[in-house]
Amino acid sequence: MLARMSSRGAAEGMRRHRSRTRDLAERRRTLVKLLIALFVARIVVTITEIAESGVTWWSLLVTAAIGIEAWRAWNVSRAARAHPDAPPPPPLPDTAWDRMLRPLERFGPASLYAFAVLYALAYLALLAAGASRDTLVDVAVAAREVITLFFLFVLIAGYRSVRAAR
């Protein structure tokens, strides 16, 4: 009885805070690692932007948005681990969106961490070589835009793959 009450309370709490990101994280639990890796890579780029004083409010807003989405997804995965007796989500239908996301979920986090490390090393190498401030800002902007576009693709593809399951 106690287990039933606690799972009912958890389910009610989850329904109260419904969002697209929560639905996405519940249905595609492996996407959480990818969102966290995106946030880490974006933080690395934002730090170098701040160092060069090239950071804009828009850049900080996008970094915060990625952080919020990663935090929400992490909360869902943490709640799922806290209730291991909960039934697993139903399988997603095999759609083009699902097929695009499967390799990203598997190889994306490691690739993003490698991207962040390589970016930081390239930035430090350019800094040590005495590259101009404009060059450093251009490199940071290019990396920032790549991460932002990747984040948007992941969210749109994830939402579309979950939407097809409804």
Side-chain angles (χ1 to χ4, degrees), residues 20 23 47 51 60 71 81-82 84-85 89 103 105 110 123 142 156 161 165:
R20 283 184 156 187
D23 287 341
I47 288 171
L60 291 176
W71 177 76
R81 285 191 306 264
D85 57 336
E105 289 171 328
Y123 180 85
I156 290 169
S161 73

Side-chain angles (χ1 to χ4, degrees), residues 24 28 30-31 34 92-106 149-166:
L24 180 61
R28 300 191 74 96
T30 54
L31 203 63
L34 184 62
L92 293 169
D94 187 32
T95 63
W97 297 108
D98 185 54
R99 288 189 299 272
M100 283 188 279
L101 282 175
R102 274 188 240 141
L104 290 178
E105 289 171 328
R106 181 172 297 136
L149 291 174
F150 188 68
F151 170 69
L152 291 174
F153 170 77
V154 167
L155 278 186
I156 290 169
Y159 292 155
R160 298 295 298 178
S161 73
V162 171
R163 184 176 185 191
R166 289 183 189 177

Side-chain angles (χ1 to χ4, degrees), residues 34 37-43 45-46 49 58-59 62-63 66 104 108 111-116 118-119 137-155:
L34 184 62
L38 270 164
F39 181 60
V40 169
R42 182 63 189 227
I43 287 293
V45 173
T46 302
E49 281 183 301
W58 178 250
S59 179
V62 170
T63 302
I66 293 172
L104 290 178
S111 299
L112 283 167
Y113 291 130
F115 175 80
L118 291 174
Y119 167 78
V137 170
D138 288 344
V139 169
V141 167
R144 178 187 73 199
E145 298 308 321
V146 166
I147 292 170
T148 302
L149 291 174
F150 188 68
F151 170 69
L152 291 174
F153 170 77
V154 167
L155 278 186

Side-chain angles (χ1 to χ4, degrees), residues 6-19:
S6 66
S7 65
R8 183 183 303 150
E12 287 174 15
M14 294 293 266
R15 270 187 246 119
R16 210 172 350 135
H17 293 88
R18 271 292 182 230
S19 73

